Amino acid sequence: MPLRNGVNFMNFLDHCKVLITGASSGLGMEFARQLAPRASTLVLVARRVERLEALRRDLERPGLTIHCRQTDLSDRADVAELVAWLASTGAEINFLVNNAGLGDRGRFENSDWERVRQMLDVNISALTQLTHALLPMLKAQAGAAILNVSSVASFLPIPKLAVYAATKAYVSSFSEALRAELRGTGVRVTTLCPGPVDTEFGEAASRPTSPDLVSPPEGLRVPAQKVVADALCAVEKDRARIIPGWRVALMMGVVAMLPMALLRCGLNRRAR
Ligand SMILES: NC(=O)c1ccc[n+]([C@@H]2O[C@H](COP(=O)([O-])OP(=O)(O)OC[C@H]3O[C@@H](n4cnc5c(N)ncnc54)[C@H](OP(=O)(O)O)[C@@H]3O)[C@@H](O)[C@H]2O)c1
């Protein structure tokens, strides 16, 4: 059995105690579905608590404890309350899935500030605050993991998704640095960078006045089930980063090799 820092990482997900943000929809709900047969505790976090309760009824089985926590992650007091509740329950979380996130499609100059604030607070602040608050708990476990959901949007600036792409650049950069800092502590960090996935994300990111953007080619779409299965496999293998779907991974490999001057031509065209 592979031992890292004296910790056995095989079958880490069996009996894990996991907290998933954004579990009311899309990838977060799929994480809950795929982890439910293996985990011993699921803490499901989102604002739409009725959806979390419906999910709990679906996933309930003997040996699995499910908590639903209504939390607005754009509200720091709400996040602090979630952390205090976790400490009071003695939940001993050993797997943190920072998945909740939102986008905003359109030019920055026309954006609604409240929407931008929410994006910064959910995608960056809440992820960082939760990670900071839970680290002592994670380090106290015999092996723990953090999975931060970023995006392929983190690899390059994207006009008409400017703030969203920048928040995801933060997530990818923060996660890689944290992974290096935590080497030797028994806490591993994996960054998930999906390409386009059919969830409620696109609709939630649209503005009433958003121009119709060209949809990504069908071949680049990866089903939520595969994105989540690949991400969980990457966590068990202690991989630093996972880009689900070979076409998406190949495309991002090519993008990474392009000179910035060439990329700017594409960015300028997209911004028009
Ligand atoms: N879908 C894609 O194409 C795609 C691609 C790359 C990366 N991603 C990333 O994947 C992650 C999951 O997105 P998804 O595709 O599953 O989108 P989704 O279906 O819209 O789900 C977003 C989740 O985030 C939660 N959330 C949003 N704002 C929140 C807030 N203020 N407080 C608490 N929870 C909040 C939502 O819950 P409530 O509304 O109930 O609060 C929901 O559960 C995001 O980080 C996204 O950036 C998605």
Side-chain angles (χ1 to χ4, degrees):
M1 294 227 177
L3 289 179
R4 193 159 304 144
N5 312 315
V7 175
N8 176 14
F9 280 117
M10 287 283 284
N11 305 321
F12 163 74
L13 299 176
D14 291 334
H15 314 295
C16 67
K17 296 181 176 182
V18 57
L19 184 148
I20 306 168
T21 66
S24 61
S25 164
L27 295 178
M29 189 178 272
E30 186 58 29
F31 274 114
R33 289 196 183 286
Q34 292 194 24
L35 284 166
R38 300 179 67 181
S40 66
T41 300
L42 288 182
V43 179
L44 309 176
V45 176
R47 290 167 301 180
R48 289 171 290 181
V49 73
E50 67 292 343
R51 285 194 177 197
L52 300 180
E53 294 292 355
L55 184 61
R56 184 219 300 258
R57 288 192 289 278
D58 253 24
L59 301 181
E60 262 169 349
R61 64 164 177 82
L64 174 64
T65 304
I66 305 179
H67 301 280
C68 301
R69 295 297 300 177
Q70 182 171 35
T71 305
D72 182 349
L73 294 168
S74 73
D75 180 337
R76 284 178 202 184
D78 247 26
V79 179
E81 203 174 289
L82 170 67
V83 170
W85 171 82
L86 277 172
S88 73
T89 57
E92 296 187 334
I93 296 297
N94 67 352
F95 186 19
L96 170 62
V97 182
N98 276 314
N99 161 77
L102 65 154
D104 179 41
R105 264 186 355 209
R107 297 178 76 84
F108 176 67
E109 63 184 345
N110 305 327
S111 58
D112 170 52
W113 173 251
E114 178 54 20
R115 179 77 183 175
V116 174
R117 182 199 66 78
Q118 280 184 19
M119 236 185 328
L120 296 171
D121 284 346
V122 176
N123 298 9
I124 295 180
S125 295
L127 176 144
T128 313
Q129 189 182 352
L130 268 181
T131 304
H132 190 261
L134 264 63
L135 256 181
M137 189 187 285
L138 294 168
K139 284 176 73 175
Q141 313 306 318
I146 300 170
L147 176 65
N148 285 338
V149 181
S150 182
S151 166
V152 292
S154 67
F155 295 119
L156 72 173
I158 307 184
K160 297 182 189 163
L161 271 176
V163 176
Y164 175 72
T167 65
K168 292 301 180 178
Y170 171 92
V171 174
S172 290
S173 170
F174 169 67
S175 307
E176 287 280 355
L178 186 64
R179 177 181 172 85
E181 283 187 18
L182 292 176
R183 268 179 78 87
T185 66
V187 182
R188 73 198 96 168
V189 182
T190 297
T191 314
L192 168 61
C193 295
V197 190
D198 282 329
T199 63
E200 295 173 15
F201 179 85
E203 201 187 323
S206 295
R207 302 176 191 170
T209 54
S210 285
D212 279 344
L213 294 184
V214 183
S215 299
E218 208 44 48
L220 288 182
R221 292 187 181 279
V222 179
Q225 291 86 340
K226 175 170 169 52
V227 171
V228 168
D230 284 6
L232 293 178
C233 185
V235 168
E236 284 206 309
K237 291 183 174 163
D238 190 17
R239 287 184 54 191
R241 185 174 76 186
I242 171 76
I243 304 174
W246 70 265
R247 288 188 185 88
V248 182
L250 181 68
M251 193 180 82
M252 295 329 293
V254 171
V255 165
M257 286 188 299
L258 293 177
M260 196 59 206
L262 192 60
L263 277 175
R264 278 193 193 107
C265 295
L267 300 183
N268 290 341
R269 279 184 54 189
R270 186 186 150 98
R272 282 201 289 271

